[in-house]
Amino acid sequence: MANIVMNIALGRVAELYNRVDLNDPANSALIVVVLATTGIETDAVLKDKDDLAAVVAGTTNEVTNAGYARKVLTDADIVAFAPDDTNDRVDLDIPDQTWTGVAAGDGWNDLLVCYDSDTTVGTDANIVPLTQHDFVVVPDGSDIVAQVAAAGFYRAS
Amino acid sequence: MYLKRFYGPPATEGDPPRVIGVKMLRAGRVQHFSAGFLDGGQGEGWLIRTADAVTIRATTGPVVYRLIRGPGAYCCYCEAAIPDAGTLLEPGLTIGRKHVLSQHGDALSPDPTNPAGYRVEHHYTGVLVGDTVEATTPEEAAQMERGVRDALAVKLRTKYGDTRGASAARRALKTAAAGGEG
């Protein structure tokens, strides 16, 4: 489950996730971004950032290792939006993610799950950060797997 | 995919209500199924899985996905399965990367989200075929799924360009804007 939820996403994560599953707007997606260890700001600082451009505007940086690219998760990747009426909650899940052949370079510190309303246009200023998760890895050329908890990356209740 | 679960009384008093069926509110053309989802659906009795298909026995009728691929590592150029792709042969060179370099050179990866040229999938990939798996051939289903992936790749290339250096380029711009400090 999420280590922190960005303030801009409070009360919105489940609906933005559902938007991607609905394909409404068309081309919407969840974007998984990795933040570097060097220069990373505190959770208290990052929690206030309202878009991805703002997240990396200070000393915080996205990693630049060869082999790294942002993961783009579309409606096909969202297994099932299925509210749990027994426990009165909604668990939001995404598949485990693997970055293949990631070269040494930046150390990895956190994963951001973001919402992009249009994967064809726009900039990082149009991408909304939803949740941030601890993910400390030192790349060495091998594959890197982000294993998502069985219950998912976020629970709305 | 959007499912509505229906609940019945528990099998044993004191247990939570049990799922007695599902309604399919939305089914996408291509769907990735986690092992957990498949096991859960089978356990609750509303999903049947065979070697080549997943059938969701929804209250509105069966919804069938033809399975075209299981979990594993695949080449983004030739789609070949690459066993043990993540194993390091030497520092900085995995089995998967060796396959890419030896078979396809260092050309731009067809998949912008996997610049190394091979990808690892943790899911089963299914293509919606209606209410019977005979509605499409495995080749047709695979072609449809490839079309969806290719379309996404085109969109991402339009937006990000060559993702191999995209994040480094963004940081260079940021450093330049800060007057070289950053």
Side-chain angles (χ1 to χ4, degrees), chain B:
Chain B
M1 179 182 290
Y2 187 178
L3 291 175
K4 171 68 179 173
R5 292 189 178 100
F6 295 111
Y7 297 85
T12 309
E13 195 173 347
D15 285 352
R18 60 192 172 90
V19 176
I20 56 172
V22 295
K23 182 177 183 180
M24 180 65 77
L25 296 171
R26 182 174 61 253
R29 206 160 40 124
V30 174
Q31 186 64 57
H32 298 163
F33 297 101
S34 67
F37 176 82
L38 296 177
D39 292 345
Q42 281 183 299
E44 291 174 345
W46 49 266
L47 184 147
I48 300 168
R49 177 180 162 194
T50 61
D52 64 349
V54 166
T55 301
I56 296 169
R57 298 195 304 175
T59 53
T60 45
V63 177
V64 181
Y65 282 86
R66 180 181 280 283
L67 293 178
I68 59 170
R69 213 166 43 243
Y74 298 92
C75 177
C76 299
Y77 299 85
C78 64
E79 296 295 317
I82 310 174
D84 303 318
T87 302
L88 271 177
L89 293 171
E90 56 186 76
L93 183 67
T94 60
I95 288 177
R97 190 69 184 135
K98 185 182 180 190
H99 165 91
V100 169
L101 291 172
S102 64
Q103 301 294 316
H104 311 289
D106 199 22
L108 187 63
S109 172
D111 181 351
T113 65
N114 288 288
Y118 67 102
R119 67 183 188 278
V120 174
E121 296 181 347
H122 298 272
H123 52 260
Y124 294 84
T125 300
V127 173
L128 183 66
V129 294
D131 56 3
T132 64
V133 74
E134 288 76 24
T136 186
T137 66
E139 293 74 24
E140 288 169 340
Q143 194 173 15
M144 188 186 303
E145 190 270 343
R146 183 66 196 245
V148 170
R149 273 192 295 133
D150 287 349
L152 177 62
V154 168
K155 291 174 195 169
L156 296 178
R157 290 232 181 281
T158 304
K159 180 164 182 171
Y160 292 111
D162 180 355
T163 56
R164 284 189 299 187
S167 57
R170 282 191 290 270
R171 190 184 297 183
L173 281 174
K174 174 181 167 182
T175 305
E181 299 170 7

Side-chain angles (χ1 to χ4, degrees), chain A residues 36 51 72 76 87 89 111 141 145:
Chain A
D51 57 64
V72 178
N87 296 300
R89 67 194 184 205
L111 287 184
V145 182

